Amino acid sequence: MADIILHHYPTSPFSEKVRLVLGYKKLPWRSVLIPAIMPKPDVIALTGGYRKTPFLQIGSDVYCDSALICDVLEHLRPAPTLYPDHQKGVARIVAQWADTTLFWAAMAYNLQPKGIAAMFEGAPPEVAKAFGADRAAMSGGMTRLRPGDATAAYKSYLRRLANMLEGQDFLFGPAPCVADFAAYHPLWFSRVRVPVMAGILDATPEVLNWMDRMADIGHGQMDKMTSAEAIAICAAAPGPAPLQDHSFQDEHNLELGSRVTVAAENFGLETTEGELVAATRTRYTLRRVDPRAGTVHVHFPRIGYVLKAALPA
């Protein structure tokens, strides 16, 4: 199997989710550090426009969004599973809630002035300004929670997580599942990235103990790689992997072979354009050609993403 390459940066919460999944599954991986803000020319060479963090590369296949990455890693190494029998649906639903509702409440709380000051302590003022401008551009006008509302919601969500942990080590039993990894990373940001804001966790000791157990999983075996090396691997690959699921589910009146775009629904709205080569129950796959990376298959989950016909050139 080609190397698993994770394009990420150390303080990205969704990257921490995937790093722990890699550690849990004991999958060796290569680490490519990417910028936290634009410009990201090496990222765009591989994704065609998608700029959120992280994304996963295996040869000349690129997988966008941490939810899809979890599915890919589950396929590569089914045990230990992220989707326990008889709990697959509820685990996925809680993970989706954690990656969206919980995440945005936690980040609105974390990124209050005190948290931002801690994040950029010692950095020149223009660094914080550039980060703020970059994230504003990614937001596309989405409504953010006000600090007071975010704090109240975050406290409520922490209490609910504590309720789920009563009498067991993880959210759905004795072993972590995809819901644990999704719920952990926003809280990790509070505790590790902006510890000045971590006091909110103290009221739920069950959650703190669970966080310790999650952190103990670790990131597994990792080797470093440059983005230029990753692009060269993509270009030198014999081609994207054969598509495993040949079922075609058409919800958009778009045929395979159509020129299309895919973009996130509400954050990081940059589009990736390419030829639609797969539209299964769970994902879209676009074929695109880049001068540096060669032929690439870029994969997106259906949930959370918008597929449209590309505008005429």
Side-chain angles (χ1 to χ4, degrees):
M1 184 185 74
D3 287 341
I4 297 170
I5 304 171
L6 184 67
H7 298 251
H8 67 121
Y9 59 89
T11 57
S12 159
F14 282 95
S15 296
E16 180 64 11
K17 171 188 172 182
V18 175
R19 291 187 292 254
L20 282 180
V21 171
L22 287 162
Y24 183 56
K25 288 187 168 289
K26 295 181 169 54
L27 284 164
W29 56 287
R30 308 294 299 273
S31 167
V32 174
L33 295 182
I34 62 175
I37 65 174
M38 294 293 268
K40 301 183 179 185
D42 291 348
V43 169
I44 304 306
L46 290 165
T47 68
Y50 180 85
R51 52 139 320 169
K52 295 201 287 185
T53 307
F55 66 92
L56 193 78
Q57 176 192 350
I58 302 176
S60 54
D61 285 271
V62 168
Y63 302 92
C64 302
D65 195 276
S66 67
L68 177 56
I69 293 171
C70 286
D71 286 350
V72 171
L73 298 179
E74 179 79 0
H75 176 76
L76 291 175
R77 183 157 293 176
T81 186
L82 298 176
Y83 309 103
D85 289 341
H86 311 299
Q87 294 178 324
K88 293 178 182 179
V90 69
R92 287 184 183 275
I93 287 171
V94 172
Q96 186 181 354
W97 163 80
D99 279 341
T100 53
T101 303
L102 172 61
F103 174 79
W104 288 116
M107 296 310 288
Y109 165 81
N110 289 328
L111 298 182
Q112 294 181 71
K114 185 167 69 171
I116 292 174
M119 274 182 64
F120 295 103
E121 184 178 7
E126 54 268 23
V127 173
K129 184 177 180 180
F131 181 86
D134 182 85
R135 292 307 187 262
M138 291 183 75
S139 299
M142 67 179 290
T143 301
R144 299 289 191 95
L145 286 172
R146 295 178 300 177
D149 297 324
T151 302
Y154 196 14
K155 287 179 177 178
S156 292
Y157 298 150
L158 290 169
R159 289 194 296 269
R160 293 174 188 178
L161 291 173
N163 293 156
M164 294 178 71
L165 291 163
E166 290 176 359
Q168 56 189 21
D169 285 345
F170 298 97
L171 294 179
F172 286 95
C177 68
V178 69
D180 292 272
F181 293 98
Y184 175 76
H185 70 88
L187 282 58
W188 167 86
F189 195 93
S190 300
R191 194 183 200 185
V192 175
R193 187 68 183 95
V194 286
V196 68
M197 305 298 291
I200 197 169
L201 303 170
D202 293 341
T204 49
E206 302 92 343
V207 171
L208 284 170
N209 292 335
W210 164 77
M211 291 182 72
D212 289 340
R213 290 190 286 274
M214 292 297 295
D216 285 344
I217 292 170
H219 297 165
Q221 180 184 337
M222 178 272 288
D223 292 311
K224 295 180 180 179
M225 173 184 286
T226 67
S227 58
E229 289 171 330
I231 291 172
I233 285 174
C234 184
L243 296 168
Q244 298 297 314
D245 186 350
H246 295 282
S247 62
F248 175 51
Q249 183 167 317
D250 178 23
E251 313 286 2
H252 299 81
N253 294 318
L254 292 169
E255 297 179 354
L256 292 180
S258 301
R259 296 294 300 178
V260 300
T261 63
V262 174
E265 286 179 353
N266 57 16
F267 185 73
L269 304 179
E270 293 81 3
T271 60
T272 293
E273 181 174 339
E275 176 192 354
L276 182 66
V277 294
T280 69
R281 292 180 303 108
T282 59
R283 70 176 74 169
Y284 305 117
T285 301
L286 276 57
R287 178 190 289 124
R288 52 178 302 275
V289 178
D290 180 84
R292 298 169 62 203
T295 299
V296 189
H297 276 184
V298 187
H299 308 264
F300 297 90
R302 278 186 179 258
I303 293 177
Y305 289 81
V306 177
L307 175 72
K308 294 181 180 180
L311 295 175

